[in-house]
């Protein structure tokens, strides 16, 4: 069963959203509604987000991404439609229960880090636990653990302003992980970072996720980022979902002309992970030696040199376990699709 369910979410901004909704139902589009003073931010969005996946919402500026996340954390109520988190229908939850659910189940990572300037790194990371009333010693121990996990040991006593952008975003990530929620919402979390740091953090998020299995909703306007880290990606345009699919499905079977145009120029070798080319590990065959295996989250570009010139496929591992194998023919079919 889906962990987060979104059904027919439609949201208009303006003085009379319900009047705008009626016009939208009569068939007016975003431009026509704007002429009547209504901003159509989301139209009939339905999504099922599964536990343990990194679900990416990708769209250009103004496509409705931030509005959609604000519905997922209950900060925004829709003009029509529902959001469910597990058994709870967020859209009708009384505000006390909504606040409790937010503290217990949702952590946010923001583009501009959203750190508390006058608190140390340690106190920033422990903040979610503090809000929940966890005792000081325990929250400090747990914060130290996550600070180490994101590679910031030694920086516990520093203030955010003394850290680089990439380091501040690690603090933001550690804070979300430390809050121990099953859902993490990340709105353009890596967008303000240099390309190299950004790519490093993408890799780290994937390996953390392979270990932790949280449910992550990741918002980005960057298609390469979406394809690299998404288990599945929803493409949003003018507040409507054009297509939801795995990176492989979006690249090889776009169902919409806009999606096809979006993905046309993507560097597939870099965008697709090995798990896009995964075939089952043959039954009965013994597990391979570690040096004969590649990581499921590596890009095709990273494994190509090891596949070229050898007959046998390579084993694919995730978090220590063999999850399948990858063969050169399959990689070639992904990189050079038939005419
Ligand atoms: N509070 C608001 N009042 C009026 N219009 C709004 C409000 N918030 C968002 N909008 C409109 O809703 C639409 C979607 O905005 P949103 O911020 O969700 O886009 P976005 O995809 O997050 O863009 P970006 O990539 O620039 O952050 C836009 O047309 C925007 O003008
Ligand atoms: Mg936004």
């Amino acid at each position: 069963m889906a962990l987060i369910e979104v059904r027919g979410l439609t949201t208009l901004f303006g003085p009379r959203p319900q009047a705008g909704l009626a016009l939208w139902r009569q068939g007016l589009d975003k431009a026509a509604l704007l002429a009547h003073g209504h901003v159509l931010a989301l139209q009939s969005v339905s999504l099922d987000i599964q536990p343990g996946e990194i679900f990416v919402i990708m769209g250009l500026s103004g496509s409705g991404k931030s509005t959609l996340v604000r519905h997922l954390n209950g900060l925004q109520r829709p003009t029509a439609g529902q959001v469910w988190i597990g058994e709870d229908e967020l859209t009708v939850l009384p505000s006390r229960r909504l606040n409790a659910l937010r503290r217990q189940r949702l952590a946010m990572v923001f583009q501009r880090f959203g750190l508390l300037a006058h608190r140390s790194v340690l106190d920033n990371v422990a903040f979610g636990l503090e809000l929940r009333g966890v005792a000081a010693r325990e929250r400090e121990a747990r914060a130290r653990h996550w600070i180490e996990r994101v590679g910031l040991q030694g920086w516990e006593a520093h203030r955010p302003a003394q850290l680089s952008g990439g380091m501040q975003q690690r603090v933001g990530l550690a804070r979300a992980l430390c809050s121990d929620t099953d859902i993490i919402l990340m709105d353009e979390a890596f967008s303000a970072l240099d390309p190299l740091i950004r790519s490093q953090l993408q890799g780290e998020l994937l390996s953390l996720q392979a270990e932790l299995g949280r449910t992550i909703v990741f918002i980005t306007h960057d298609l390469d980022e979406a394809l690299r880290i998404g288990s599945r990606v929803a493409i949003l345009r003018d507040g409507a979902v054009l297509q939801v699919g795995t990176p492989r499905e979006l690249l090889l079977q776009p169902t919409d002309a806009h999606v096809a145009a979006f993905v046309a120029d993507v560097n597939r070798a870099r965008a697709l992970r090995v798990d896009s080319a995964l075939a089952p590990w043959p039954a009965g065959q013994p597990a391979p030696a570690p040096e004969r295996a590649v990581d499921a989250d590596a890009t095709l570009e990273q494994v190509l040199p090891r596949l070229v010139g050898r007959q046998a496929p390579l084993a694919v591992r995730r978090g220590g376990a063999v999850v399948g194998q990858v063969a050169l023919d399959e990689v070639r079919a992904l990189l050079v699709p038939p005419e």
Side-chain angles (χ1 to χ4, degrees):
M1 211 190 100
L3 179 60
I4 304 176
E5 274 185 51
V6 176
R7 285 288 166 271
L9 208 62
T10 301
T11 293
L12 291 105
F13 292 108
R16 292 166 61 231
Q18 289 299 332
L21 183 69
L23 291 172
W24 174 73
R25 285 185 170 145
Q26 287 165 26
L28 270 67
D29 66 6
K30 183 163 177 158
L33 284 163
L34 191 61
H36 286 77
H38 306 287
V39 177
L40 179 61
L42 292 175
Q43 33 183 334
S44 211
V45 171
S46 294
L47 298 169
D48 287 300
I49 299 176
Q50 304 300 332
E53 71 177 336
I54 301 186
F55 190 92
V56 176
I57 297 165
M58 186 268 157
L60 301 178
S61 185
S63 57
K65 305 180 296 294
S66 295
T67 306
L68 181 51
V69 209
R70 282 203 300 276
H71 286 83
L72 300 185
N73 63 16
L75 287 179
Q76 172 82 48
R77 304 243 165 174
T79 315
Q82 296 98 36
V83 176
W84 297 80
I85 293 190
E87 302 290 297
D88 290 309
E89 186 182 347
L90 233 61
T91 25
V92 297
L93 216 56
S95 55
R96 266 188 58 192
R97 289 208 22 225
L98 182 61
N99 286 333
L101 180 143
R102 253 195 226 124
R103 273 199 302 276
Q104 285 156 14
R105 304 201 62 181
L106 299 172
M108 284 284 304
V109 185
F110 303 93
Q111 174 172 7
R112 281 281 155 206
F113 321 132
L115 303 175
L116 300 163
H118 299 293
R119 287 172 152 240
S120 66
V121 167
L122 186 71
D123 289 344
N124 266 285
V125 172
F127 189 59
L129 297 178
E130 189 179 331
L131 286 182
R132 264 195 269 156
V134 174
R137 267 186 63 180
E138 185 187 342
R139 63 176 192 253
E140 194 182 307
R142 280 159 70 176
R144 285 187 191 282
H145 166 78
W146 289 111
I147 288 169
E148 196 178 320
R149 281 300 273 108
V150 302
L152 286 179
Q153 59 276 41
W155 294 91
E156 292 82 354
H158 286 72
R159 298 280 162 89
Q162 297 172 298
L163 274 57
S164 72
M167 292 162 81
Q168 290 184 55
Q169 198 51 287
R170 285 171 197 271
V171 178
L173 192 57
R175 180 178 58 186
L177 292 166
C178 186
S179 301
D180 216 13
T181 61
D182 55 340
I183 300 170
I184 300 178
L185 306 176
M186 303 179 71
D187 189 1
E188 301 272 9
F190 299 157
S191 300
L193 306 174
D194 293 339
L196 187 63
I197 305 287
R198 184 172 185 171
S199 162
Q200 268 171 12
L201 275 170
Q202 290 165 354
E204 283 173 38
L205 183 67
L206 285 169
S207 53
L208 277 166
Q209 174 63 3
E211 193 181 311
L212 304 171
R214 307 279 178 95
T215 304
I216 299 177
V217 182
F218 191 101
I219 308 294
T220 182
H221 64 264
D222 184 302
L223 184 61
D224 292 311
E225 179 166 79
L227 296 171
R228 165 132 190 239
I229 68 168
S231 318
R232 290 187 303 143
V233 179
I235 309 253
L236 204 61
R237 183 174 184 270
D238 283 345
V241 173
L242 299 180
Q243 186 173 353
V244 181
T246 62
R248 181 190 166 111
E249 285 164 351
L250 293 173
L251 283 172
L252 301 186
Q253 294 138 20
T255 56
D256 172 285
H258 293 293
V259 177
F262 268 140
V263 300
D265 293 329
V266 165
N267 178 341
R268 292 164 186 234
R270 241 171 239 177
L272 288 173
R273 295 183 309 261
V274 167
D275 65 357
S276 301
L278 201 64
W281 181 251
Q285 193 165 310
E291 68 276 9
R292 306 237 349 248
V294 293
D295 194 275
D297 290 326
T299 63
L300 297 185
E301 184 180 69
Q302 287 165 333
V303 297
L304 256 176
R306 293 184 58 191
L307 277 173
V308 169
R310 56 179 285 146
Q311 301 297 317
L314 283 163
V316 178
R317 263 181 325 185
R318 170 168 279 136
V322 174
V323 292
Q325 60 178 12
V326 59
L328 181 59
D329 280 350
E330 187 57 25
V331 173
R332 188 187 292 130
L334 286 177
L335 295 181
V336 192
E339 283 298 302

